């Protein structure tokens, strides 16, 4: 189409949504290719997302088309990223896939002081690597264990700390919502969850998390 004027672009994070593994089908690849000019590339991130640059004026049209093809679209930057998951190898129900889908629906895209990576895993084998992410959830038996403050990078890499064990799905949603709220309110700009938790203090954090009403 030979558009000479360089139009401003926006970066979108896209994936196939929460399912048995992080997969894309032919239709999804085709619709992505449609929005990819010859001189551009898709960026593959480490967090089960693809980055694609869309001309600003075509953003809404692209999102609608992507979603119609079963792709999920998320903002890029200081937001909660889409929930990374394991492959649910033992079955969707047993491994809590509906809970992961609901959790993702509630938190992905929320603005936070620094990019927040949440990870979910359906059993203690931990293929979704919940303990090296900002927020980690591990289903253990019937309950959900909640971890936070994992740091995967740097020489001071550290596993996440266990905050709650054996939560029900409803309790899990509430605790995660509240944790993100506290972090969004008290975290400094560009302060990672790990650093925030060290500064804020675990005791104070637990106290705030246990308050139902503010
Ligand atoms: S964490 Fe458990 S359920 Fe999930 S893929 Fe690994 S072994 Fe399977």
């Amino acid at each position: 189409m030979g558009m000479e004027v360089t139009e401003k672009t926006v970066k979108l994070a896209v994936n196939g949504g929460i399912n048995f593994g992080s997969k894309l089908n032919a239709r999804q690849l085709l619709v992505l290719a449609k929005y990819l000019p010859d001189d551009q590339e898709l960026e593959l991130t480490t967090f089960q997302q693809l980055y694609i640059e869309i001309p600003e004026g075509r953003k809404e049209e692209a999102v609608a088309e992507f979603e119609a093809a079963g792709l999920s679209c998320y903002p890029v930057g200081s937001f909660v990223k889409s929930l990374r998951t394991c492959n649910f190898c033992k079955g969707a129900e047993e491994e809590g896939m509906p809970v992961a889908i609901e959790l993702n629906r509630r938190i992905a895209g929320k603005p936070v002081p620094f990019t927040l990576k949440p990870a979910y895993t359906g059993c203690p084998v931990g293929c979704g690597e919940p303990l090296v992410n900002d927020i980690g959830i591990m289903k253990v038996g019937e309950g959900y264990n909640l971890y936070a403050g994992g740091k995967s990078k740097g020489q001071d890499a550290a596993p996440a700390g266990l905050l709650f064990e054996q939560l029900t799905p409803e309790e899990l949603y509430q605790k995660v919502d509240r944790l993100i709220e506290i972090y969004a309110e008290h975290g400094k700009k560009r302060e990672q969850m790990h650093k925030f938790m060290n500064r804020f203090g675990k005791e104070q954090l637990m106290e705030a998390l246990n308050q139902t009403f503010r």
Side-chain angles (χ1 to χ4, degrees):
M1 272 182 276
M3 249 195 336
E4 295 303 326
V5 196
T6 14
E7 197 185 334
K8 227 181 136 208
T9 59
V10 278
K11 203 184 256 186
L12 278 182
V14 177
N15 64 27
I18 292 174
N19 216 314
F20 298 102
S22 200
K23 295 170 186 168
L24 296 174
N25 61 34
R27 188 174 163 214
Q28 293 165 346
L29 290 173
L30 282 173
V31 75
L32 286 171
K34 190 180 147 183
Y35 284 89
L36 202 64
D38 286 345
D39 60 348
Q40 289 248 0
E41 289 160 330
L42 266 190
E43 184 182 342
L44 184 62
T45 72
T46 56
F47 211 66
Q48 301 179 337
Q49 290 186 334
L50 294 166
Y51 285 168
I52 184 168
E53 299 255 1
I54 305 282
E56 212 169 27
R58 297 185 75 193
K59 187 187 162 195
E60 270 169 42
E61 169 203 341
V63 168
E65 249 193 280
F66 291 170
E67 286 180 349
L71 292 166
S72 300
C73 302
Y74 304 98
V76 174
S78 292
F79 301 96
V80 178
K81 283 188 149 309
S82 52
L83 188 66
R84 178 186 169 180
T85 66
C86 71
N87 291 349
F88 301 97
C89 73
K90 291 170 190 155
E93 281 307 319
E94 192 182 323
E95 263 51 69
M97 196 196 288
V99 173
I101 290 172
E102 172 60 10
L103 192 65
N104 183 64
R105 190 192 65 74
R106 295 172 77 114
I107 66 174
K110 282 194 178 175
V112 275
F114 192 64
T115 312
L116 186 152
K117 294 176 174 176
Y120 177 97
T121 210
C123 87
V125 174
C127 302
E129 302 181 350
L131 269 71
V132 290
N133 282 286
D134 298 306
I135 292 182
I137 296 104
M138 182 182 275
K139 184 162 191 272
V140 182
E142 288 307 299
Y144 297 83
N145 291 2
L146 176 60
Y147 300 82
K151 188 177 188 301
S152 63
K153 297 183 208 165
Q155 289 187 308
D156 56 346
L162 178 64
L163 302 182
F164 297 97
E165 278 181 289
Q166 294 299 303
L167 297 171
T168 64
E170 207 43 56
E171 288 167 341
L172 175 71
Y173 305 146
Q174 282 169 15
K175 296 300 183 199
V176 174
D177 281 349
R178 187 79 186 99
L179 176 59
I180 292 171
E181 241 175 59
I182 296 165
Y183 173 52
E185 196 181 321
H186 299 282
K188 291 181 189 164
K189 203 168 184 269
R190 299 195 58 78
E191 184 177 43
Q192 246 191 312
M193 179 64 95
H194 174 80
K195 225 174 154 191
F196 167 72
M197 283 176 62
N198 285 343
R199 180 174 63 79
F200 198 74
K202 185 163 177 193
E203 220 166 278
Q204 207 187 330
L205 181 64
M206 292 308 283
E207 212 170 282
L209 282 169
N210 283 321
Q211 277 166 7
T212 325
F213 301 102
R214 271 177 298 166

